[in-house]
Amino acid sequence: MLDDRAKLLLKTLVERYIAEGQPVGSRTLSRASGLDLSPATIRNVMSDLEGLGLIASPHTSAGRVPTARGYRLFVDTMLTAQREQFAAPSLAPDQPQKVIANAANLLSSLSQFVGVVMAPRRPSVFRQIEFLRLSERRLLVIIVSPDGDVQNRVIFPEADYSQSQLVEASNYINANYAGLSIEQVRDRLQSEMEQLRGEIAALMQAAVKVSSEVLTQAQEEVVIAGERNLLSVSDFSSDMGHLRRAFDLFEQKAQLMRLLDVSSQADGVRIFIGGESQIVPFDDLSIVSANYEVDGQVVGTLGVIGPTRMPYDRMIQIVDITSKLVTNALSHRK
C-alpha cells in the first residue's frame, strides 16, 4: 500500500505528464505537489514508485513517466472528475444510423481524439419488403426495419418477373410475415413452400436470404470518426510505428467489436489502458467507453480512443454525456 505522500506525488506526476507530455522531474513535483519535501526525499519516493512498476524513467531523461499500472491506479483511486457543462448538441432521433454517426462525430469533436460507436444490436426483424424491377432478371430489394432504417440490395433471380408480380409478392409477404424475425420467417417458409405459388415462394426465399445478410451486417457495424485527430497528437506524430498500429486497429473492425463487446458487460464508464491486458494490445492507446440503451435495454457501446496520456477526467464526462444523448435520442422516437 502507498502512503498518502506517495499517492499525492504519483497523482501529481500523472496529472503533469498528461498535461505536458514530458517526463516529470523531482523539482517539478516538489513545486506542483505543494509538499514541503526536499528534491532528495522526492527522488527516494520516486524510486519506490518505480520499484512498484507505477512509473518508469526514460533513458533519455532524468524525469519519470507513468506506466500502464500507474495510470490504472490513478484512474481507479485518484481520479476526481468535475462535471463540466459541455456545449453538446442533442442528437435528433431521425434514424438510428444518423444518431450513431452523429454520436461518433460528437465524441471525436469533443475529445479531439477518435470516436467509436457500435451500432445497436437488434432482432433481425423487418417491417416491410418491396421489390423493384431494374431490368431483366435484376431486382432491387428494399428492406425497412421496425425502426425505419432502409437497406437496399440488388439480386439476380433465375426467373424474370413483371412489376405487377413483384407488387403482388411484396404485398403477400408484408401482410403475412412483417414483424416476424428472419428466423421465424425461414421456419414458416419451409412449412408453407408447397402452398405458395412458384413466383412468390422464389421471391420469399430471395427476400429471406438478403434480409438476413443485410440485418446481420447492420448489427455488426462499427462507426469510427476522427482518426486524423491522432496525427496532431505528439505521442503518435513523433513515432510512425505508434500511428500505424493505431490505424491498423481501426481497420480491423472485428477487433474493435470484441473490445466494445467486453465494454458492454459492465455498467457505467469503463477505462481500458493500453498494455495492461490483451483487451487493448497497444501500450500507447487507451479507451474510455460506456453503454447506451434503448427503452431501458443495453443495445450498444460507444467510446473515445486516444493516447494513454489523455485527460481521463474530461474523457469520462464526454463519454458519459454522449451515451445519455444517444440513449435519449433512440428511446424517444416517434
Side-chain angles (χ1 to χ4, degrees):
M1 287 290 294
L2 300 180
D3 59 26
D4 291 341
R5 183 177 65 180
K7 287 180 181 178
L8 178 57
L9 288 175
L10 176 61
K11 181 175 184 290
T12 304
L13 184 146
V14 173
E15 290 173 342
R16 295 289 295 193
Y17 184 68
I18 286 173
E20 300 176 1
Q22 298 295 326
V24 183
S26 57
R27 291 184 183 277
T28 300
L29 278 179
S30 179
R31 292 193 301 268
S33 67
L35 295 176
D36 187 17
L37 299 173
S38 69
T41 301
I42 291 180
R43 281 196 295 271
N44 289 336
V45 176
M46 293 297 98
S47 179
D48 292 340
L49 293 175
E50 190 167 3
L52 293 171
L54 298 173
I55 61 176
S57 179
H59 58 272
T60 57
S61 170
R64 308 295 208 286
V65 299
T67 63
R69 183 180 296 179
Y71 277 120
R72 172 52 61 193
L73 185 61
F74 170 78
V75 165
D76 289 346
T77 65
M78 305 174 191
L79 189 59
T80 54
Q82 299 297 319
R83 177 68 63 180
E84 295 180 11
Q85 294 299 318
F86 290 109
S90 60
L91 299 176
D94 184 2
Q95 286 189 350
Q97 290 174 315
K98 290 184 180 179
V99 172
I100 297 307
N102 289 342
N105 288 322
L106 181 61
L107 287 165
S108 173
S109 63
L110 289 177
S111 69
Q112 291 301 297
F113 297 133
V114 181
V116 56
V117 184
M118 184 168 67
R121 304 181 198 88
R122 301 182 299 270
S124 300
V125 177
F126 69 88
R127 185 179 74 195
Q128 185 178 352
I129 288 181
E130 304 292 340
F131 300 100
L132 180 65
R133 188 176 189 273
L134 300 177
S135 61
E136 185 176 351
R137 296 185 182 181
R138 184 167 172 263
L139 307 178
L140 179 67
V141 183
I142 304 167
I143 304 157
V144 183
S145 77
D147 290 331
D149 288 341
V150 179
Q151 299 281 344
N152 302 315
R153 286 293 187 277
V154 176
I155 63 172
F156 302 89
E158 294 182 4
D160 192 24
Y161 300 100
S162 67
Q163 188 58 45
S164 61
Q165 288 177 306
L166 297 177
V167 170
E168 180 186 359
S170 63
N171 288 341
Y172 180 87
I173 293 170
N174 294 329
N176 292 277
Y177 296 93
L180 299 177
S181 70
I182 295 301
E183 292 73 21
Q184 291 173 313
V185 174
R186 187 180 289 113
D187 292 342
R188 277 186 53 177
L189 184 59
Q190 290 177 347
S191 63
E192 297 173 3
M193 280 290 290
E194 294 181 2
Q195 303 171 29
L196 297 174
R197 289 216 317 269
E199 65 270 14
I200 292 180
L203 288 171
M204 274 293 299
Q205 287 179 310
V208 167
K209 183 176 185 298
V210 73
S211 297
S212 180
E213 294 172 354
V214 165
L215 294 172
T216 299
Q217 289 172 5
Q219 292 189 67
E220 293 179 349
E221 183 180 11
V222 176
V223 180
I224 303 171
E227 299 99 315
R228 293 184 64 84
N229 285 341
L230 296 186
L231 295 174
S232 59
V233 176
S234 60
D235 306 56
F236 295 104
S237 60
S238 61
D239 189 326
M240 291 306 296
H242 289 185
L243 193 62
R244 191 175 298 111
R245 285 194 296 273
F247 277 84
D248 285 345
L249 176 64
F250 303 141
E251 290 180 2
Q252 297 166 9
K253 290 193 175 182
Q255 187 171 353
L256 269 181
M257 283 287 293
R258 288 193 296 272
L259 190 149
L260 294 175
D261 224 25
V262 171
S263 305
S264 70
Q265 297 170 16
D267 296 329
V269 178
R270 296 198 68 185
I271 299 174
F272 299 95
I273 296 172
E276 67 176 3
S277 73
Q278 287 303 307
I279 295 174
V280 186
F282 307 124
D283 291 346
D284 33 42
L285 280 181
S286 285
I287 297 176
V288 181
S289 66
N291 297 330
Y292 63 90
E293 302 176 354
V294 174
D295 299 324
Q297 297 293 317
V298 173
V299 296
T301 310
L302 54 78
V304 166
I305 301 176
T308 307
R309 184 181 66 86
M310 68 163 71
Y312 289 96
D313 51 353
R314 181 174 170 80
M315 296 306 111
I316 288 171
Q317 295 171 60
I318 290 170
V319 169
D320 184 44
I321 289 171
T322 306
S323 71
K324 289 178 171 60
L325 288 173
V326 173
T327 293
N328 290 337
L330 296 180
S331 296
H332 298 112
R333 306 184 64 234
K334 305 299 182 183

